[in-house]
Structure formats: C-alpha cells, structure tokens
Amino acid sequence: MGGDFAPAHEVAGAIEALRMRKKEFEVILVGKEPQIREQLKRHDTTGLPCSVVNADEVITMDDPPTAALRQKKNSSLAVGMQLQKDGKAEAFASVGNTGAVLSASTLILGRISGVSRPTIAAFFPSERGVCLLVDAGTNVDCRAQHLYEFAVMGSMYAKKVFKHENPTVGLLNVGEEKKKGTEAVQEAHSLLERSNLNFIGNIEGRDILKGTAEVIVCDGFVGNVVLKFGESVPSFLKSKLKQYAAGNIIRTLLIGAARGSLRASLREMDYEEFGGIPVLGVNGVSMIGHGNSSPKAIRNMILKAVEIAESGLNRYIEEAMAKSLKPAGTEAAKTLGQ
Amino acid sequence: MGGDFAPAHEVAGAIEALRMRKKEFEVILVGKEPQIREQLKRHDTTGLPCSVVNADEVITMDDPPTAALRQKKNSSLAVGMQLQKDGKAEAFASVGNTGAVLSASTLILGRISGVSRPTIAAFFPSERGVCLLVDAGTNVDCRAQHLYEFAVMGSMYAKKVFKHENPTVGLLNVGEEKKKGTEAVQEAHSLLERSNLNFIGNIEGRDILKGTAEVIVCDGFVGNVVLKFGESVPSFLKSKLKQYAAGNIIRTLLIGAARGSLRASLREMDYEEFGGIPVLGVNGVSMIGHGNSSPKAIRNMILKAVEIAESGLNRYIEEAMAKSLKPAGTEAAKTLGQ
C-alpha cells in the first residue's frame, strides 16, 4: 500500500507476474482489502493463484521508518512481512518507504547468523552483463568488516541467483593500489585478500560499466550516489540529443531513426527491467522497488523474489559467513572460489 | 615530462594553444631541453611566444609523490612550479603524476590563507551546462569544514571563471533531507546553511547530470568514483550499440547514421574538451590533466589555465574564506549571493 500508485500498479504487476510464471507460485496481496478487490475486478484473474490479506494501515513515504513500524502494527508492510516470519509466505516485495521496508526486514525477519548489517544490492549493467553493486544505500558509514560482509553476501548472490561459477569481487576505490582510499577501505582490502572469495582487488569508477568485477563492493553512500547517477544517464542522453537536433530536420530524422537501437542498448540501464533490489542478510526474502514503479517493474520484482526464494541463497550466505579468514600475511596465496 | 607521451603531446598542445590565443600569453616548456627542442622542430613556431627551461629529472607515474618531490629537485614538475613561485610564470599545467602535481602545488605555492586543504575540481556536463564537482579525488576522508571550504572555492570558481552570477551549491548526499548521510555531511549541511553561498541543500546522484546545482560538493572518494564512472559512459554506450547492431545490417546502418549526433551530444562528457582540472586553494594556478592526454586536451588545459590566471580567482577565494558564518539557528533566513 505504500507505493505512489498503490494498489493499482501492485495488483496489475502481481497479475502479470502470475500470468508469466513458469514454475508454480502464489501471490498474497496485503493491504486494504476493499481497494485491492476493486483493482482485482479490473483484471481477468481466472485460474490465477492469488489471495488477499487485509491490513488497514499504510506507512507513507514520509513516515520515519522505525517509529512508523512501531506505531502502525497493522500496516501492509508489517502484516506482509509477518506472513513470511510465520511461514505463510516465502518472500516479500514492496515499493513503499525504503527505510521502513529495510527496518521491517531486519526487525521482523532477523539477521542471518554472522551478518552484522543487512544490506541492499543493486543491479548494474555492464559491457559484460549485469553486475551486483553492494551496498546500494543502506549503510552510509561502513567499517571494514561491513564491507567484507557485503562482499560475501554479494558473492553468494552472484553465485546462487545469477549462477556465476566463481564471481569476481572488486572493491570500489579511487585507485588500483592497495594503499588507496579511506582507512576502512584499505582495511577491507586486507580482509578480502584473506577471504575465500574471488577477490580481484580495487576497481575504479570507470570499471563499473566495463564489467571488470561481477560484484562491486562499496559503502552505501558511494553506492547510492553511483546508482542514482547511472539511472539518470538515459534521460541525460535524451535531453542532449534533443538539444542537438533542435530545429535541424536532418539531425532529427537521423536521431529518430536510431531511437529504437538506442533505447534497446540502454534497456539494461532501466531499473524497470530488474524491478526491485534485494535486501541481503535477513532471514527471508525481501525486495524493494521504486515508489513510482510501473506494473512491469513490479512484475519483474515479484519474479525475481521467486527466483531468490528458490535459490536457497540465505543458507549459502550463512555458510559463507561462518568460514574463517586466512591468517594475515598469506594473502599472496590466491585461492579459487569457495 | 611526466605524461605518457611526453614531451611530444605537450609541445604539440602548447603550440596549438598559442596559435589559438585571443589574448597575449607566453608558454614556457619545462623539461629535458634536447627532447623538447627536437619536438619543437616538428612544428612551425614562427612568431609564437614560446621558450624552454631545462629540467633534467622526471617524476614518473609510479613515483611516490612526496618522496619524489624531495629527491628529484630538478624534475620538470618542481622546476616548473618554482617558476611560478618566483614570479616568472603565472600558471602551471601538467599531465604527469597527479599526486605529485598536487603535492608540489601545495608545498611550493603554499595554501591560500584560510584554506585547510587544497582540492581539485572537475567539470561535469549537465542538461543545463557545465557544472563543477569538488573534490574530485584529492581528499578521500573529509570533515565538515573541508566540505564547506570546497563549496566556497567551487563557488568562487563558478562565479569568476564560469561567470555565473550567483552559482547554486548542492551538497551531494543520499537523500534530500537534512538528516541524511554521514555525520560529516550532515554537519557540512549546517555550515553551508550558515554561509553566504547560494546553497540549495542536498542533491542526489541523479541531480548531477540534470544540472540541479552549478557547484556539487562531496568528498574526494565519492567525487573520484562518480567522475570516473561518468567518463566511462560514452564507451559503454558505444559497446552496447555495437552489441545491439552486431550482424544486423539495418541496425548497423541506422546507428551509423546517427553516430555524428550521438558523438556531438556526448562531447561534453569527453574530458578532452576541458583538458585538465584545476587545483584550488593554492597560491597560484595549477592544472592537472590525464597522463594519456592528446595534444588537443593539453591545448584546452593551457587555455583554461590562462583564463583562470586572468580571473584573479585566488583573491576572491581568500576574501570568501575570511567571511564568517552566520550564527547557528539563523539558517532559515536565506541570503541571496555573497
């Protein structure tokens, strides 16, 4: 109920997801039942495994996350997350208040053993395919240990959900040398060298779109800025092409002719394709989408949530977190995967 | 002498700059004289005000900046910077070791009174024209006071070199609300509210290319990552368009036809257009360019250095740094310009 177009886009997205399903799953729509039923009437839901659970309250975008969760115990967010806690659902997805979804994920589902801070991971396009950037905005102030944990969780995600054999992990920094960057980042470099991950060292801003690493590790401040910057590139290009073509018929025609190609090439930069990003490190599956998500984005987020739930990701994260680091000084001995 | 193609590109760039000059200026080429003379022979230098000062040593890209400066007292960098200190030159430009240029700028020229940390500012394209991003990579760990000083220096640059009447200043953060971000950023927000700058509040990653602020303030870690990310966008697009067109003649033709428009629209993202970025906060003019700069990039960097030297920028920075902040609590009263 917390999205900008709730519950219309949520209902439409859920129905699209169910229609496209290749494996069986069921969608439980949580929120103000009369409004949801109203929306459901607009679709042909014959044969679709879809039910409604009522929740009378709504956490808005402006509500302070933790306080809202405490006060609005009957919000669609709290009720929906609790369904998972109670074993009645295996994943949760929302395009509501990001902070509140994060808090609810941590408070209601609890952290995976060994994880000190849950995180959100974003998908990033690159010349070599989709990468994972973690943390994408949750933890703005990070110590080395947090960055290390992000690397472990991101790595497991790339392995179990993306199905990458031995995902490469890069530490986002201002230079390639070990001694570059803040103290926390330098220390994280050492921890990663001692890990069993496929750590390829520091990477720089220019390596993200190149696809140098399949998992990009950074604090949530940098991650959030880069993510939002990346999302703004398509509209910047559109605006520049428009300025360039303005009043010139030939240019307008040429650009118009190539529009389809450009759009197709930029598709990966469109968050709608991913629909939402996962919360990692909690005992369950939790997905967060943009407040103004389209039904298509919501559909994709739901399909992604199903994929994550089926992958058994969290068990692998727990196992990986339990592995101990190699003693300091042995970092030269590179290992292959874990 | 420290650039990847030194001194060929440096000499060619300097000669191009002199040929394009609208106002009088002179170029002093500093480095190994025989090599420079050799390069000069390849150009027609008749009537161009260009001289050579010999310097036998070279600081390489791999030299540790401060140690190199101490040991190589006769490097082109040290000798060139000293010319400015001695009043024999009014600006310095180099595409050598960035760290060494920065150290030399601070150690030889000294800091402007009131500035605790010199910084480098990068130019960023936006839908509304060029913006200034400061710090672009010098100071990876910043306190609030440093961020405030970057804002003052950037603002003066936008005013005196870009000639913007009353430049808008945005603080790069993970959200619009005052209480977002790290402690340092939150505190910087308060300082900026109490300043005489045209502070418009927090901006996010997506606002950079939109041109929401003319001066974008952030620490050097974030600045460096975003800057390098931005520089990689054109080649990412090229690669994606190529992948999309591969083996399809129609697509290849359409994309080929629009190539000129695309290139023109992305021109602003090309660092060659700016050629180099200024060191701010030192008693002089110092410009840094990419090690692999083309003659065109070097030409543009030299022309920019002349423009900065003529603007009297440093005097304005000193004046602005001396202005006191309004007492805390008065931030609601917005002022117009300074």
Side-chain angles (χ1 to χ4, degrees), chain B residues 17-28:
Chain B
L18 285 169
R19 285 200 185 126
M20 286 177 71
R21 75 193 188 282
K22 285 172 189 146
K23 292 181 179 180
E24 269 314 310
F25 67 87
E26 189 191 327
V27 172
I28 310 173

Side-chain angles (χ1 to χ4, degrees), chain B residues 235-284:
Chain B
S235 75
F236 169 74
L237 274 177
K238 217 171 132 186
S239 143
K240 281 291 155 190
L241 282 168
K242 213 168 152 187
Q243 282 172 27
Y244 178 74
N248 182 314
I249 295 189
I250 302 288
R251 287 179 182 172
T252 306
L253 285 174
L254 289 176
I255 292 171
R259 184 171 296 151
S261 305
L262 253 179
R263 194 176 293 144
S265 303
L266 286 171
R267 189 164 296 148
E268 284 181 26
M269 281 195 131
D270 180 2
Y271 77 90
E272 279 205 346
E273 293 299 314
F274 306 112
I277 55 181
V279 180
L280 299 179
V282 294
N283 283 313

Side-chain angles (χ1 to χ4, degrees), chain A:
Chain A
M1 297 299 300
D4 298 347
F5 304 100
H9 286 192
E10 282 76 358
V11 170
I15 291 186
E16 270 190 49
L18 285 169
R19 285 198 186 130
M20 287 177 70
R21 75 193 187 281
K22 285 170 192 150
K23 293 181 181 182
E24 270 314 308
F25 66 88
E26 188 191 326
V27 173
I28 310 173
L29 296 160
V30 185
K32 296 187 173 176
E33 192 161 356
Q35 288 185 36
I36 294 174
R37 296 267 173 224
E38 189 58 40
Q39 289 298 327
L40 281 170
K41 275 188 214 151
R42 303 186 182 193
H43 304 270
D44 176 11
T45 56
T46 324
L48 297 181
C50 176
S51 58
V52 181
V53 164
N54 186 58
D56 281 330
E57 289 174 299
V58 176
I59 292 180
T60 68
M61 291 295 181
D62 302 322
D63 279 338
T66 325
L69 274 176
R70 229 185 352 248
Q71 284 152 19
K72 299 181 175 174
K73 295 228 183 286
N74 204 28
S75 65
S76 53
L77 171 52
V79 172
M81 200 70 82
Q82 190 64 38
L83 286 177
Q84 199 180 164
K85 178 75 178 173
D86 297 342
K88 292 175 187 153
E90 283 159 279
F92 176 85
S94 166
V95 300
N97 183 320
T98 302
V101 177
L102 259 168
S103 300
S105 307
T106 308
L107 296 173
I108 299 175
L109 303 177
R111 282 173 293 149
I112 293 175
S113 160
V115 172
S116 46
R117 281 197 194 171
T119 180
I120 48 178
F123 306 105
F124 238 97
S126 89
E127 292 178 24
R128 302 193 207 163
V130 177
C131 301
L132 202 69
L133 179 133
V134 53
D135 180 294
T138 331
N139 302 288
V140 294
D141 240 331
C142 289
R143 290 201 306 274
Q145 171 68 19
H146 304 135
L147 294 169
Y148 163 71
E149 292 178 11
F150 300 161
V152 173
M153 293 189 269
S155 231
M156 287 301 106
Y157 190 97
K159 202 166 176 170
K160 298 302 168 187
V161 188
F162 284 169
K163 314 282 185 202
H164 290 326
E165 184 66 36
N166 188 21
T168 49
V169 176
L171 180 63
L172 193 56
N173 204 335
V174 298
E176 285 174 14
E177 306 84 351
K178 229 172 133 162
K179 290 287 160 206
K180 288 273 183 179
T182 60
E183 226 173 278
V185 170
Q186 288 182 31
E187 212 184 299
H189 189 109
S190 307
L191 292 180
L192 287 166
E193 277 185 327
R194 294 168 49 205
S195 74
N196 293 303
L197 305 174
N198 189 5
F199 179 52
I200 59 165
N202 291 341
I203 62 166
E204 299 184 65
R206 67 169 68 92
D207 297 312
I208 300 175
L209 294 177
K210 269 194 204 150
T212 308
E214 289 165 315
V215 178
I216 301 154
V217 177
C218 59
D219 69 44
F221 196 102
V222 179
N224 182 279
V225 167
V226 173
L227 181 68
K228 287 178 178 162
F229 182 87
E231 285 176 356
S232 75
V233 168
S235 76
F236 169 74
L237 273 177
K238 216 170 133 187
S239 142
K240 282 291 156 189
L241 281 169
K242 212 168 154 187
Q243 283 173 27
Y244 178 75
N248 183 314
I249 294 186
I250 302 288
R251 288 178 182 173
T252 306
L253 286 174
L254 288 176
I255 292 171
R259 183 169 298 149
S261 306
L262 252 179
R263 193 175 295 144
S265 303
L266 286 171
R267 189 164 298 149
E268 283 181 25
M269 282 195 128
D270 181 0
Y271 77 89
E272 279 204 347
E273 292 299 314
F274 306 111
I277 56 182
V279 179
L280 299 178
V282 294
N283 282 314
V285 176
S286 175
M287 300 285 291
I288 304 180
H290 272 280
N292 61 1
S293 288
S294 64
K296 182 183 161 197
I298 290 172
R299 169 196 87 195
N300 288 339
M301 173 164 66
I302 293 172
L303 294 173
K304 185 62 86 180
V306 173
E307 205 185 331
I308 299 174
E310 281 181 337
S311 72
L313 173 65
N314 289 343
R315 185 162 43 86
Y316 296 103
I317 289 181
E318 188 170 346
E319 274 173 30
M321 288 305 311
K323 287 200 180 164
S324 50
L325 293 174
K326 285 168 269 183
T330 61
E331 53 262 36
K334 281 230 171 182
T335 57
L336 286 168
Q338 68 165 32

Side-chain angles (χ1 to χ4, degrees), chain B residues 199-265:
Chain B
F199 179 52
I200 59 164
N202 290 341
I203 61 166
E204 299 183 65
R206 68 170 66 94
D207 296 312
I208 299 174
L209 293 176
K210 271 195 203 150
T212 308
E214 288 164 318
V215 178
I216 301 153
V217 177
C218 59
D219 69 44
F221 196 101
V222 179
N224 183 280
V225 168
V226 173
L227 182 68
K228 287 177 178 162
F229 182 87
E231 285 177 357
S232 75
V233 168
S235 75
F236 169 74
L237 274 177
K238 217 171 132 186
S239 143
K240 281 291 155 190
L241 282 168
K242 213 168 152 187
Q243 282 172 27
Y244 178 74
N248 182 314
I249 295 189
I250 302 288
R251 287 179 182 172
T252 306
L253 285 174
L254 289 176
I255 292 171
R259 184 171 296 151
S261 305
L262 253 179
R263 194 176 293 144
S265 303

